[in-house]
Amino acid sequence: MIALRWSAYAVALVSSVCAARAATLTSFVSKENKVIITLDGDIADGDADRLLTLVREANQAGRLVSGIRLNSPGGSLSEGAKLADAIRNGKIASVVRSNNTCASACFLAFAAGTEKFASYTAQVGVHGASDRSGEETTGAKAATVSMARIAKDLGVPERIIGKIVVTPPSQMVWLAPDELRSMGT
């Protein structure tokens, strides 16, 4: 049911920012014999499909995907929603490591983690959506509302959702440790 609602939201996110190139997604096997996936770079069309391929490959090899390490300034909001859907449905933990960033569309992927981990030196940021040219148009405002609904479905506290809604796309609000803890981080 949630996946269907997210898909409808993703369709509504037509005004999202699209990155020029996709993030790099790789995987490795931990010493516990579980797979950890890393996402590094701008989120763009096709990243969720690449994530699902890596998860499928791990499962076919008899391994569980235990987490995804996120390092992204954001990118395509609709693709961020698809990543969030894949992470939540896959019951994957989300991690932002020391000195890494997860902002904008990446925030949805982070919020979708069944468990969420962020280093004290990590930066996790939110803001409203923009159109392809970076402007806050009527369509972008509708996309921001859709992003807020997705965040609510992911269990993001109202205080953080409020920051998404009121922060212009040209600015970023970096979440404090207590705000991250309120998300279960």
Side-chain angles (χ1 to χ4, degrees), residues 42-119:
D42 293 338
I43 295 172
D45 291 344
D47 286 343
D49 289 338
R50 283 190 286 289
L51 172 62
L52 290 171
T53 297
L54 289 172
V55 169
R56 238 184 326 272
E57 289 171 356
N59 294 161
Q60 289 171 351
R63 294 190 172 99
L64 294 175
V65 175
S66 64
I68 182 165
R69 293 178 177 173
L70 302 165
N71 185 30
S72 173
S76 168
L77 185 52
S78 61
E79 198 67 16
K82 291 176 189 175
L83 283 166
D85 197 31
I87 291 166
R88 187 167 196 184
N89 287 336
K91 297 182 171 110
I92 300 170
S94 56
V95 179
V96 184
R97 297 178 71 199
S98 181
N99 301 313
N100 282 273
T101 299
C102 180
S104 192
C106 182
F107 175 75
L108 293 177
F110 175 73
T114 53
E115 294 181 282
K116 293 169 255 325
F117 303 94
S119 167

Side-chain angles (χ1 to χ4, degrees), residues 4 10 14 31 35 64 68 84 92 103 129 134 143 152 154 183:
L4 292 176
V14 175
K31 60 184 174 185
V35 174
L64 294 175
I68 182 165
I92 300 170
K152 183 177 180 178
L154 292 170
M183 293 177 55

Side-chain angles (χ1 to χ4, degrees):
M1 179 80 162
I2 289 174
L4 292 176
R5 285 188 289 165
W6 285 12
S7 295
Y9 292 145
V11 169
L13 299 175
V14 175
S15 304
S16 66
V17 175
C18 287
R21 63 180 182 87
T24 302
L25 282 107
T26 57
S27 65
F28 67 93
V29 179
S30 71
K31 60 184 174 185
E32 294 85 18
N33 204 32
K34 294 181 181 176
V35 174
I36 297 172
I37 296 172
T38 60
L39 181 148
D40 190 25
D42 293 338
I43 295 172
D45 291 344
D47 286 343
D49 289 338
R50 283 190 286 289
L51 172 62
L52 290 171
T53 297
L54 289 172
V55 169
R56 238 184 326 272
E57 289 171 356
N59 294 161
Q60 289 171 351
R63 294 190 172 99
L64 294 175
V65 175
S66 64
I68 182 165
R69 293 178 177 173
L70 302 165
N71 185 30
S72 173
S76 168
L77 185 52
S78 61
E79 198 67 16
K82 291 176 189 175
L83 283 166
D85 197 31
I87 291 166
R88 187 167 196 184
N89 287 336
K91 297 182 171 110
I92 300 170
S94 56
V95 179
V96 184
R97 297 178 71 199
S98 181
N99 301 313
N100 282 273
T101 299
C102 180
S104 192
C106 182
F107 175 75
L108 293 177
F110 175 73
T114 53
E115 294 181 282
K116 293 169 255 325
F117 303 94
S119 167
Y120 276 100
T121 60
Q123 291 186 301
V124 178
V126 298
H127 64 93
S130 66
D131 66 12
R132 293 180 192 275
S133 65
E135 299 298 317
E136 189 177 9
T137 61
T138 303
K141 288 178 184 177
T144 297
V145 171
S146 293
M147 184 165 72
R149 287 182 183 138
I150 294 168
K152 183 177 180 178
D153 284 347
L154 292 170
V156 173
E158 290 293 326
R159 181 169 121 187
I160 296 170
I161 293 170
K163 291 180 182 214
I164 292 170
V165 173
V166 301
T167 305
S170 60
Q171 297 177 12
M172 186 70 66
V173 173
W174 300 107
L175 300 180
D178 66 317
E179 292 170 316
L180 293 169
R181 279 192 292 276
S182 75
M183 293 177 55
T185 304

